[in-house]
Amino acid sequence: MPRICAILMGAAGAASLLSVATARAAPRTDLLQVPPGFHVSVVSDHVPNAREMVRGARGTIFVGSMGAGSVYALTGVDGGGPVQVRTIARGLSLPVGVAYHDGDLYVSDMRRIVVLRDIEDHLDTPPKPEVVADNLPYRPGDHSWKFIAFGPDNRLYVPIGAPCNICDVGHEFGRIISMNANGTDRRDVAYGIRNSVGITWQPGTGVMWFTDNGRDNMGDDMPSDELNRVDVPGQSFGYPYCHQGNIADPQFGSRHPCSEFTPPALLLGAHVAALGLRFYEGTEFPTPYHGSLMIAEHGSWNRSQLSGYQVVNVGFAADNRPQPPTVLVGGFRQGQRAWGRPADVLPLPDGSMLISDDLSGAIYRLTYGDAVPTH
């Protein structure tokens, strides 16, 4: 029998094969706030701890997870039938990141990258994960989960987060590396990065952009999370010496001034936990959104007043400078209570966009126009 977690029947209802222990309450899409003309619907609410998403060549949506330790495959998302959610890998260590390349699905683990070969031919009988990159830098602590992505150069990009809130990690941690699809030829891309959980490339320019989460325990309003761009290999963005381009760290800031580092392209706000990001290349959304950057803000965990818990849109000026973010999808929190936490965004070829929510275990679809989606 296929390992199917759930089959959603669209407007007719849902038939769940999940156990009672993993079932979740329906996401509160009625509480979500979007600009006029936009609509949000639930694709599936049976994707526990949903994190990074990627689309396969045949339209399968692959989803990594945090605490669940599983990787999922969603079929039927393109409207070709009822949505099925299969668990295609289990028992991995924080398999947050998924990346699709030449028919294979790459998955991040805390210390390695594994691959499921020819995955869309084997959704019901998934292959055993094969290790392609082992012995990634690891130290017990924070930020060992990894958002991964293939760049325009067909190399796999992998962040190596700092194993702490604030510590001097040299060049072993706090960086982004790249490698060939077979795990060889590892290269350093950028340094001075505390915790990047989102990497993407701008269409047309090929420029790499990434999010970086600022340190904790400097108060409610500093430092800001960052949107950064990599113009040349080897740039350093300041961690642990400098935060948000202009704030010296209380412990390490005296060692290197902020002037030594590349400043952020844009400040996103303190503790918003900016994670997955993608450029919108579709035409379904209104013209001001074309070519803009969509960013999932997972939300604060230790701020006295919650921040984030939304999806924001970043437009660009004529000189390609990013403009202040505006809220595209809000309402995942009501005051000081949050029912959802956006983790990633994924624009689709039809012009709609998926949003993962690891708190509700859900995938949503954002559309624009008169027709309200049925799934």
Side-chain angles (χ1 to χ4, degrees):
M1 177 180 180
R3 291 187 285 180
I4 302 173
C5 293
I7 300 177
L8 299 193
M9 307 303 293
S16 175
L17 300 183
L18 283 180
S19 67
V20 173
T22 57
R24 284 167 168 73
R28 295 296 308 274
T29 53
D30 58 307
L31 297 177
L32 293 179
Q33 302 157 1
V34 294
F38 284 91
H39 311 281
V40 180
S41 60
V42 177
V43 173
S44 172
D45 58 358
H46 294 290
V47 193
N49 299 130
R51 278 279 185 143
E52 186 180 358
M53 301 178 288
V54 71
R55 183 178 183 272
R58 302 179 197 171
T60 308
I61 304 301
F62 298 101
V63 187
S65 73
M66 192 75 162
S70 299
V71 180
Y72 311 101
L74 281 68
T75 54
V77 176
D78 59 2
V83 173
Q84 296 187 13
V85 184
R86 295 170 171 86
T87 300
I88 57 172
R90 291 184 172 88
L92 298 173
S93 298
L94 304 180
V96 166
V98 287
Y100 184 87
H101 182 68
D102 286 346
D104 301 330
L105 183 69
Y106 291 71
V107 180
S108 67
D109 193 273
M110 288 197 296
R111 306 184 190 208
R112 59 186 185 162
I113 304 296
V114 300
V115 62
L116 282 68
R117 301 290 186 190
D118 300 318
I119 186 60
E120 287 186 292
D121 287 330
H122 302 97
L123 295 179
D124 291 334
T125 55
K128 180 181 178 180
E130 170 191 328
V131 177
V132 294
D134 208 351
N135 300 315
L136 295 176
Y138 173 79
R139 190 183 301 167
D142 297 328
H143 315 136
S144 54
W145 48 89
K146 297 168 175 57
F147 180 110
I148 61 176
F150 277 93
D153 55 2
N154 290 316
R155 293 177 62 84
L156 180 65
Y157 287 71
V158 180
I160 308 295
C164 55
N165 171 38
I166 187 73
C167 55
D168 196 343
V169 296
H171 280 175
E172 183 180 12
F173 295 89
R175 58 181 168 138
I176 295 174
I177 66 173
S178 74
M179 63 184 73
N180 289 329
N182 63 4
T184 62
D185 189 28
R186 298 184 191 181
R187 304 176 190 172
D188 290 332
V189 177
Y191 306 100
I193 302 160
R194 180 176 176 269
N195 180 33
S196 178
V197 198
I199 302 170
T200 195
W201 288 264
Q202 188 173 29
T205 69
V207 172
M208 176 179 156
W209 296 76
F210 67 92
T211 53
D212 191 16
N213 290 181
R215 66 158 289 180
D216 295 314
N217 303 327
M218 286 183 65
D220 274 1
D221 301 315
M222 68 173 64
S224 177
D225 282 6
E226 301 172 4
L227 174 64
N228 294 305
R229 58 176 287 167
V230 178
D231 293 305
V232 294
Q235 284 174 266
S236 180
F237 293 86
Y239 179 88
Y241 313 106
C242 177
H243 309 290
Q244 70 172 51
N246 56 13
I247 296 177
D249 184 78
Q251 183 175 354
F252 298 105
S254 61
R255 301 183 185 180
H256 295 277
C258 287
S259 59
E260 291 186 8
F261 306 107
T262 301
L266 185 67
L267 300 182
L268 298 172
H271 307 292
V272 299
L275 301 187
L277 75 169
R278 301 293 200 293
F279 282 91
Y280 183 75
E281 300 182 65
T283 58
E284 177 180 313
F285 294 178
T287 301
Y289 295 96
H290 296 179
S292 64
L293 190 56
M294 310 295 185
I295 305 175
E297 294 185 350
H298 198 228
S300 60
W301 67 273
N302 65 346
R303 194 172 186 270
S304 62
Q305 299 294 312
L306 296 184
S307 61
Y309 298 93
Q310 58 194 6
V311 175
V312 300
N313 170 74
V314 172
F316 289 80
D319 60 358
N320 207 34
R321 281 185 303 109
Q323 302 301 292
T326 60
V327 178
L328 182 59
V329 184
F332 288 99
R333 63 178 173 90
Q334 305 295 308
Q336 288 294 93
R337 296 179 62 87
W339 62 265
R341 302 191 78 181
D344 195 16
V345 292
L346 181 64
L348 297 180
D350 66 2
S352 65
M353 185 176 76
L354 301 182
I355 302 166
S356 63
D357 170 4
D358 69 351
L359 181 57
S360 292
I363 306 294
Y364 312 98
R365 187 197 302 269
L366 179 68
T367 58
Y368 181 85
D370 295 332
V372 178
T374 59
H375 67 278

